[in-house]
Amino acid sequence: MKKFFPAVLALFAVQAQALDFEQVLIDTGLRLGEPARVAKLDGKAHLLVVGTDAQGDQQLRIYGLQRGAEASLQLSLDLGPDLLFMDVARVPGGEALCFLDPKGVVCLDFSAGALRRVQTVSSLFRLPRISSIVSSDFMQDVNGDQLDDILVADFTGLQISIQAANGEFSAPLGLPAEPEMNLSENSVRYRSPRTLVADANFDGHDDVLMVEDRSLRVFPSNALGGFESEAVVLPLELDLPSRAQLREWDSDRGDIDQSNLSIRRIERIADLDGDGVADLLTTATHSRGVFDKSSDFAIHLGRNNAGWVSYSPEPDSTLVSEGMQFDLLVEDLDGDGRMDLVVPSVRLGLGRIIKALFSGTMTMDLGFYRSDEQGLYPDKPNFSASSKLRIDLKKGQTDVPAILAADFDGDEIKDLLVQQSREELKITLGDGSEELFGGASHKVTTLLPRNGERIQPLDVDGNGFNDLVIQYRGSDGENLEGRIRVMLAL
């Protein structure tokens, strides 16, 4: 069920009351795969579309769109098997589409229509792919200069190349860390360390942090613009399992007794309360049987302890949710600079499952929790909503509704969009109150995909208004395969 999670949270930035759209339909001729993206190439916004052609080869299509005009195909590029991951990077003067391959990083020279190698760097990925290309955030700003740097993992640790003001990259700097290796009978899997960039020692400069077992490994920044090669280890004095225990649970194959089982993991490390210090969020799944599950989300606010970030063993806030949880969503819903939380869940039970088999629907609950001035969260949600997952047992398909929290009316407060049917979206305006969504409701009508995750908010024409980009696949109807509907905000 988790893979069907429909919720997508993203930022819309449009003028006040701009709830009307001009629609443009694009026939890409591809079987669409990765979600579309927008990049500012050569100073103008372009829509990037990835899919598979009739011969089974991966292709990139780059389109330009303007209001009152049809979409124009600007570039078509063959994505050979050596291109493993793709990312949009901030570079001097705009953005660039970059790819990670077995040798390092190449970026698209849009005006020339060719790929150019920008760095040779070692990574975990040494062979061509046999599946579809994947989006990955291997380009990140690690030094706060608004230019994205290269950050990839190899078998010795992290390799970081800093981008200079002229667009060139420094020689890779290696930060030692061991990847996690999981073995099975006929395969081996490597997982790179979970990495984030944050100020861990309160000197005003970002450091590189890695989550390693029950501790944080911190590589402090130095005066030369790089990072120290020797890590400072900060133990996390929280009730967390070891890496070995997590591996055992993840590969239990039904052998672990779930009658009284609790598993807590680190869900996220991020600045939740807007004070510039990274906070820690953990989630625990409590099982009292296959159908009797609940979860809690514990928030530990970051504090300065003798010049290093630390976390209290007791959480500052705890949210409890019944049923099977989907991915927790973290967004600033009311524009106050603090992160609010959205908890989606489906309540399970034998009766509910039997009902779902007969009705073809299952209710998904959404709880919206608003952060207060102290960075704390209430015990119960400030706002609740629900939606229906529609299940076609004969075809084995699931209709996943779109649920977006986004600013549609330009007041810097996010509004709530819920897909009502295959043709209707309902938008409830946010009003900045404690209840979050108390404004008027609007309806938008258009043909929508079965999977709401294929509805994205993107500024396609580069005018500062975010638009709706809707991708269709064969399950939406044979006549819609490979088509994209762009709804340009008016």
Side-chain angles (χ1 to χ4, degrees), residues 160-215:
I160 298 178
S161 295
I162 303 297
Q163 184 178 183
N166 62 0
E168 300 296 324
F169 290 87
S170 69
L173 169 68
L175 302 182
E178 291 184 359
E180 180 179 332
M181 183 177 69
N182 290 319
L183 296 174
S184 62
E185 183 177 357
N186 296 310
S187 66
V188 58
R189 293 183 301 163
Y190 295 95
R191 180 181 299 172
S192 59
R194 293 176 59 183
T195 306
L196 70 152
V197 177
D199 184 3
N201 56 4
F202 299 92
D203 64 354
H205 300 285
D206 284 339
D207 312 302
V208 173
L209 288 72
M210 300 181 195
V211 180
E212 185 177 272
D213 218 350
R214 289 173 281 199
S215 63

Side-chain angles (χ1 to χ4, degrees), residues 196-263:
L196 70 152
V197 177
D199 184 3
N201 56 4
F202 299 92
D203 64 354
H205 300 285
D206 284 339
D207 312 302
V208 173
L209 288 72
M210 300 181 195
V211 180
E212 185 177 272
D213 218 350
R214 289 173 281 199
S215 63
L216 291 178
R217 287 170 55 87
V218 180
F219 294 90
S221 58
N222 58 36
L224 300 177
F227 300 90
E228 300 295 338
S229 59
E230 185 174 345
V232 176
V233 178
L234 304 178
L236 295 174
E237 297 178 356
L238 308 178
D239 184 20
L240 295 170
S242 67
R243 182 184 296 178
Q245 288 174 310
L246 288 175
R247 282 200 299 266
E248 181 182 359
W249 286 328
D250 289 339
S251 60
D252 67 64
R253 298 181 182 178
D255 293 332
I256 290 181
D257 183 0
Q258 298 188 38
S259 61
N260 187 22
L261 176 65
S262 294
I263 302 175

Side-chain angles (χ1 to χ4, degrees), residues 347-359:
R347 296 198 178 194
L348 295 178
L350 186 57
R352 290 176 181 269
I353 291 177
I354 293 175
K355 182 180 178 181
L357 292 176
F358 281 99
S359 66

Side-chain angles (χ1 to χ4, degrees), residues 82 84 101-103 121-128 153-156:
D82 281 342
L84 310 175
D101 68 11
K103 295 180 180 179
V121 61
S122 173
S123 75
L124 291 173
F125 313 101
R126 307 290 179 87
L127 300 172
D154 70 358
F155 290 98
T156 63

Side-chain angles (χ1 to χ4, degrees), residues 238-240 264-269 272 279-286 295-301 311-321 328 341 343 375-377:
L238 308 178
D239 184 20
L240 295 170
R264 183 170 296 280
R265 306 170 188 263
I266 295 176
E267 172 77 16
R268 182 172 304 213
I269 299 181
L272 300 176
D279 307 307
L280 185 66
L281 190 153
T282 68
T283 180
T285 301
H286 309 288
S295 296
D296 73 64
F297 300 93
I299 295 91
H300 302 259
L301 299 178
Y311 304 94
S312 171
E314 296 299 321
D316 297 278
S317 297
T318 302
L319 313 181
V320 178
S321 179
L328 180 74
L341 305 179
V343 180
L376 305 179
Y377 298 88

